[in-house]
Amino acid sequence: DSGVTQTPKHLITATGQRVTLRCSPRSGDLSVYWYQQSLDQGLQFLIQYYNGEERAKGNILERFSAQQFPDLHSELNLSSLELGDSALYFCASSVGTTGELFFGEGSRLTVL
Amino acid sequence: GQNIDQPTEMTATEGAIVQINCTYQTSGFNGLFWYQQHAGEAPTFLSYNVLDGLEEKGRFSSFLSRSKGYSYLLLKELQMKDSASYLCAVNYGGATNKLIFGTGTLLAVQP
């Protein structure tokens, strides 16, 4: 158990819908990262937050947005969902802005 | 651009030694990670190399050559539970983590 908690573990929804994925980092970690993992691709970096502020951005679509709240938990919002958005979404956290990342168990999103 | 290459699949025998290679070309370098990932599960941290050389941690060792853009993960005394995907990731960020992951090497350990 990494100490990073993600909910929900599984989510099935339809195209065009909107979902929210939630992540609680390890106690004491200030950075939260979101990654997408599709079947045929490796882990793709989406976005990083540090202590409530956006720190780095990867290949995150405009339909996706995220935020980190004062209690350091983070949410990833996915809207206007397409079939291709079906993937495992991982949240990770780290103490600072560099160093080892600890991953949550992931949220498996299926878009039908 | 950023690019990481590692073999797609490898097979090894229980009790043997296996070496998984990783080559990278990135715009910056601030360390290289190896993660283990069992199917459908979270990646778990194995090693982190910043300087050239070999880092040993139990049955696992990781080597880095920054001048060659090359790393390898060495697994000794293979066990069946080592069957998993092994991910090489390079931090190309400066003051903040910007990790690019390879697509992973799926290792199958056979009896």
Side-chain angles (χ1 to χ4, degrees):
Chain A
D1 184 3
S2 67
V4 178
T5 304
Q6 289 188 247
T7 56
K9 291 194 186 319
H10 301 275
L11 191 56
I12 301 174
T13 188
T15 54
Q17 295 297 305
R18 172 191 171 93
V19 298
T20 297
L21 310 180
R22 182 189 169 101
C23 170
S24 294
R26 291 188 323 155
S27 177
D29 285 0
L30 299 179
S31 278
V32 169
Y33 310 76
W34 286 99
Y35 283 84
Q36 180 192 56
Q37 188 175 41
S38 304
L39 272 177
D40 57 347
Q41 292 189 2
L43 282 162
Q44 301 291 316
F45 170 64
L46 296 178
I47 197 163
Q48 177 199 4
Y49 282 85
Y50 176 76
N51 205 21
E53 295 191 359
E54 183 183 305
R55 190 64 186 238
K57 217 168 188 175
N59 300 320
I60 188 167
L61 299 173
E62 286 191 9
R63 300 184 286 110
F64 297 179
S65 65
Q67 55 183 326
Q68 185 180 29
F69 295 86
D71 67 353
L72 300 178
H73 91 270
S74 178
E75 293 181 356
L76 178 67
N77 300 297
L78 315 174
S79 62
S80 302
L81 285 168
E82 302 175 359
L83 296 178
D85 297 328
S86 295
L88 256 175
Y89 291 85
F90 285 105
C91 170
S93 71
S94 65
V95 173
T97 56
T98 61
E100 179 184 350
L101 270 64
F102 296 87
F103 283 83
E105 295 295 318
S107 293
R108 182 174 294 280
L109 173 67
T110 302
V111 182
L112 300 177
Chain B
Q2 324 292 350
N3 188 56
I4 293 184
D5 287 314
Q6 46 180 137
T8 305
E9 296 180 352
M10 297 183 72
T11 302
T13 304
E14 193 175 14
I17 299 173
V18 71
Q19 177 174 312
I20 302 174
N21 296 324
C22 171
T23 58
Y24 63 89
Q25 299 95 37
T26 56
S27 57
F29 182 85
N30 197 26
L32 186 144
F33 295 85
W34 283 96
Y35 280 83
Q36 180 191 61
Q37 186 179 25
H38 287 95
E41 297 184 7
T44 54
F45 172 80
L46 292 177
S47 68
Y48 178 46
N49 293 67
V50 179
L51 302 176
D52 290 351
L54 187 67
E55 296 275 346
E56 297 186 76
K57 191 186 292 186
R59 296 189 299 115
F60 293 66
S61 303
S62 56
F63 172 83
L64 174 67
S65 169
R66 289 172 296 169
S67 62
K68 294 182 180 178
Y70 168 71
S71 173
Y72 67 73
L73 179 69
L74 195 69
L75 292 76
K76 304 175 187 174
E77 301 169 15
L78 281 172
Q79 302 175 8
M80 298 299 290
K81 67 178 183 178
D82 296 329
S83 294
S85 188
Y86 291 85
L87 310 177
C88 173
V90 171
N91 182 7
Y92 65 95
T96 192
N97 278 333
K98 288 186 181 180
L99 266 66
I100 177 171
F101 280 82
T103 52
T105 297
L106 184 60
L107 174 65
V109 180
Q110 298 179 339

